Amino acid sequence: MLRYGLLKYAVRRLGYAAIVVWGAFTGAFFLLYIVPGDAAGGLTMGASGGDVEQLLAEQRELLGLDRPVLVQYGDALSGAVLGDFGDSLYQRRPAVEVFFEAFPATLQLAFLGLALAVVLGVALSVVIELTDWRWLRELLVSLPPVAVSLPPFLVALVLVQLVAFRLGWIDAFGDQTFLGLLVASLSIAVAGGGTISQLLTANLRGALTSPYIETARSWGLSRFDVVVRHALRNASLPVITALGTLIGVMVGGTVLTETVFSRPGIGRLVVDSVNGRDMPVVLVAVTVSALIFVTVNFVVDLLYPLVDKRIRLEGR
Amino acid sequence: MSVTETEAAVAAGPAGPAAPAPARPGEGRRRRWLGRLVDVARTPSLLVSYVWLVLIVTAALAPTLFAPGDPLAQSGDAMLLPPGPEHLFGTDDLGRDQFTRTVHGTRLSLQAAVIAVLIGLVSGSLIGLVAGAVRGWLDSVLMRVVDVMLAVPSLIVSLAIISALGHGTINIAVAIGINSTATFARLMRSEVLKVAGARYVEASVFAGHGYAYRLLRHVVPNATRSVLAYATMEIGSAILTVASLSFLGLGAPPPTPEWGLLVAEGRTFIAAQWWLSLLPGLVIVVSVLAVYRIGRSIDRGRTRVVA
């Protein structure tokens, strides 16, 4: 019975994931299609003299852009299902290859940023609960709202100014060391940490008034044990939900960080591909993002019952 | 985020300062406003937030009130000056007064943020309302569409929309508005579902009210309240996103004063003339902080009245 329910749940989730990824792919395809201009225009840009119209038409035929839109879409979709997104129109090599060349750098940045955000956010919330000094508590409580109000590019600029120019610890442009990566990820971690801490502080406060905390206290557990081992676990559920959306924000936020720190990554690639209408590369980027989105949400759902034993997965 | 905060506030319930109960029905509204004013005056951070909001709105409507100069006026003998009484924010490499440019940039930045939120609010609320009120297959379809919108990276959508409409701050606003539609739709739907289960809606059914009356008289006003609180905070986020996209060079072209663009232009001088980027950046920070603070207080005030 239980196994049947789980199977039903898995099938349901897979179907849902497939619909979302397909929808993202299709949406991006038609959005880019209806936007005026195409890759042929981008490739022949700056061409003067001769018959520009003729040139454009030739390019379109070469790239297959003169075919009916539904044929183009069908080709793109059937290729994508098999993992073949076609060649990048500008670089003339597989779009998947182009994308995954730049992707690891961005992924590193985003995940380190997320990890830092979680560490900073959780640490801040716990310290807020544990501190006895009123003034320190007041000061710390005011930090998260400030953190989420800071524009990420400004944080990045200040970090460059301080760490690269003042202290000279890293290169201001495209630093490849781990310290460079750490500083860059800190710039996206600030806002994320603020969000996590705001959520967690509110939840901790709620959790600390619960009866089971009274029980834990009456057992004579230390304040630290009560907050960290008992309240934190129950307060972290909404934070786990927020992580799902935060990952998306992180990957989006890397564009600004990559620009300011002159780091390699998909930020520049995505901007150039959309502007140049490099459909295959854009479709790879959208599909990968959608896959990450559904995977993260799935993982978040799987984490719920682990954190809170009262929640069970159901194949409704 | 706001949803959970609301829940926390509900849980806290009577612990928070209670709203002044209206003495007589006719007096209620006025008393509530008075109570709200007193609340604001008693909370320094909230008071400061409102004062700052009034300042930037004034700056947006009548920039010359704060900075009578021309934001584009160049001066050969006042280049890259540090902040001082003459030039509050210093001057840039063309001798333009950075404070004047920041003040004059307020209008475009705020306008864009408000337009972005209005687009997201109106379209998202409509989708959410239809989905929540009609339910059935239409609800499923709409919510799947919303899921898809959330799955596509907002940067790609923004870029595509902006490259279609052309660069410009207002076009950025349209892109951000379209991107935020999904979140508004989700929030509105969940609020409609929550309200639809309330006792007073049930009572309205037994009172023999029609479906349309019940929807417009009970469900919509009660559901929109927390959506509006969220929208207020979204203005803060929109200010940040507008500035970010301008910073990437997707907004108005260079001579136009706009907050994000000012930070981007000052970037070249970050090593020596750090104030060129940092001071307009601080204006952004304080504005966002103020808007968030006000948004949170609206959210909390609302919960207090309901609970």
Side-chain angles (χ1 to χ4, degrees):
Chain A
M1 186 63 207
L2 179 73
R3 192 175 290 165
Y4 175 71
L6 268 183
L7 188 72
K8 214 167 142 190
Y9 175 77
V11 169
R12 219 180 107 87
R13 286 307 299 245
L14 264 180
Y16 159 82
I19 288 177
V20 168
V21 175
W22 168 78
F25 180 91
T26 308
F29 180 91
F30 285 101
L31 177 67
L32 220 59
Y33 185 82
I34 53 169
V35 165
D38 60 16
L43 282 168
T44 54
M45 198 161 61
S48 58
D51 194 347
V52 176
E53 281 302 314
Q54 171 79 28
L55 208 59
L56 265 177
E58 272 173 19
Q59 276 293 348
R60 278 203 185 109
E61 204 183 325
L62 205 68
L63 299 172
L65 295 174
D66 56 343
R67 297 170 299 162
V69 59
L70 283 179
V71 174
Q72 286 186 44
Y73 170 72
D75 266 11
L77 185 63
S78 56
V81 170
L82 300 171
D84 174 22
F85 284 79
D87 285 359
S88 158
L89 302 182
Y90 288 83
Q91 303 197 25
R92 314 249 165 196
R93 57 203 178 95
V96 177
E97 194 183 305
V98 172
F99 182 82
F100 279 102
E101 228 170 58
F103 194 51
T106 300
L107 209 58
Q108 258 182 355
L109 192 62
F111 270 94
L112 195 57
L114 190 69
L116 272 179
V118 171
V119 170
L120 290 177
V122 172
L124 185 59
S125 293
V126 169
V127 171
I128 288 176
E129 272 321 316
L130 288 180
T131 185
D132 275 327
W133 298 310
R134 205 185 136 80
W135 61 269
L136 184 63
R137 182 190 275 247
E138 296 283 310
L139 181 77
L140 292 178
V141 164
S142 68
L143 282 182
V146 175
V148 296
S149 307
L150 291 170
F153 56 91
L154 193 71
V155 178
L157 278 176
V158 171
L159 281 174
V160 166
Q161 153 75 3
L162 285 179
V163 184
F165 291 116
R166 284 286 153 90
L167 300 170
W169 289 354
I170 61 164
D171 286 338
F173 302 101
D175 192 286
Q176 290 301 317
T177 61
F178 181 71
L179 189 65
L181 177 69
L182 198 67
V183 174
S185 56
L186 188 61
S187 72
I188 45 174
V190 169
T195 311
I196 292 176
S197 182
Q198 270 183 328
L199 258 177
L200 198 56
T201 307
N203 286 312
L204 265 181
R205 211 137 296 155
L208 282 170
T209 55
S210 314
Y212 67 86
I213 291 296
E214 278 306 310
T215 314
R217 281 208 186 102
S218 62
W219 282 350
L221 291 184
S222 72
R223 184 116 152 258
F224 183 84
D225 273 353
V226 167
V227 171
V228 175
R229 298 185 44 192
H230 291 262
L232 192 60
R233 187 196 179 103
N234 287 293
S236 58
L237 211 56
V239 179
I240 292 174
T241 318
L243 284 187
T245 42
L246 264 180
I247 287 185
V249 176
M250 290 282 168
V251 175
T254 52
V255 179
L256 291 161
T257 312
E258 283 164 10
T259 311
V260 175
F261 285 90
S262 313
R263 296 184 65 85
I266 52 165
R268 200 72 254 164
L269 181 71
V270 163
V271 173
D272 289 344
S273 314
V274 174
N275 285 335
R277 308 283 185 277
D278 197 342
M279 186 76 93
V281 178
V282 175
L283 289 181
V284 175
V286 169
T287 309
V288 171
S289 306
L291 281 173
I292 293 178
F293 176 84
V294 292
T295 312
V296 166
N297 278 306
F298 183 59
V299 171
V300 163
D301 282 0
L302 287 184
L303 279 178
Y304 278 159
L306 293 182
V307 176
D308 189 337
K309 297 273 195 268
R310 290 169 302 184
I311 300 175
R312 292 224 174 80
L313 300 178
E314 272 169 27
R316 269 181 299 143
Chain B
M1 185 195 83
S2 57
V3 177
T4 351
E5 262 184 15
T6 310
E7 283 167 3
V10 173
R24 264 171 278 144
E27 236 175 59
R29 191 168 291 263
R30 208 174 49 121
R31 282 285 290 271
R32 202 180 300 161
W33 273 106
L34 263 177
R36 174 121 188 90
L37 267 181
V38 171
D39 270 2
V40 169
R42 267 196 207 142
T43 326
S45 62
L46 199 54
L47 190 64
V48 170
S49 301
Y50 272 107
V51 169
W52 182 264
L53 185 70
V54 169
L55 279 180
I56 55 172
V57 170
T58 317
L61 296 175
T64 44
L65 220 61
F66 296 96
D70 177 3
L72 299 179
Q74 306 183 0
S75 151
D77 48 284
M79 290 188 299
L80 296 172
L81 290 178
E86 194 86 337
H87 303 283
L88 281 176
F89 285 10
T91 58
D92 67 1
D93 54 324
L94 297 172
R96 293 174 294 196
D97 182 50
Q98 194 76 347
F99 179 72
T100 312
R101 303 225 298 147
T102 308
V103 170
H104 283 259
T106 311
R107 178 181 299 181
L108 206 51
S109 297
L110 285 194
Q111 209 179 19
V114 171
I115 291 175
V117 171
L118 279 182
I119 292 175
L121 176 67
V122 171
S123 57
S125 301
L126 275 179
I127 294 175
L129 180 63
V130 169
V134 179
R135 305 301 312 271
W137 64 269
L138 190 62
D139 182 22
S140 311
V141 170
L142 285 177
M143 282 305 110
R144 284 303 86 78
V145 171
V146 164
D147 285 340
V148 168
M149 287 173 84
L150 287 172
V152 179
S154 56
L155 179 74
I156 290 181
V157 178
S158 300
L159 283 169
I161 293 170
I162 291 165
S163 70
L165 299 174
H167 288 195
T169 312
I170 301 306
N171 295 343
I172 286 183
V174 174
I176 297 173
I178 291 175
N179 269 322
S180 62
T181 301
T183 323
F184 273 110
R186 267 198 176 173
L187 181 61
M188 185 67 172
R189 175 176 175 274
S190 76
E191 283 301 314
V192 167
L193 292 184
K194 206 187 284 172
V195 171
R199 284 275 165 77
Y200 54 82
V201 173
E202 208 177 314
S204 171
V205 177
F206 290 115
H209 294 150
Y211 180 77
Y213 177 86
R214 196 159 59 240
L215 192 68
L216 295 176
R217 180 73 181 78
H218 294 296
V219 177
V220 173
N222 286 299
T224 42
R225 241 167 250 167
S226 83
V227 175
L228 285 179
Y230 176 73
T232 314
M233 290 202 255
E234 267 298 292
I235 291 181
S237 314
I239 293 177
L240 284 181
T241 320
V242 169
S244 298
L245 292 176
S246 295
F247 180 82
L248 286 175
L250 298 170
T256 324
E258 194 277 334
W259 287 353
L261 195 60
L262 287 175
V263 178
E265 285 177 337
R267 196 190 149 199
T268 330
F269 309 98
I270 188 77
Q273 287 83 22
W274 49 266
W275 54 85
L276 281 180
S277 272
L278 209 58
L279 293 180
L282 276 183
V283 172
I284 301 179
V285 176
V286 177
S287 307
V288 176
L289 206 52
V291 173
Y292 277 156
R293 183 72 190 82
I294 293 169
R296 267 208 314 280
S297 80
I298 293 177
D299 202 24
R300 210 161 290 159
R302 175 193 66 83
T303 338
R304 223 187 285 153
V305 173
V306 173

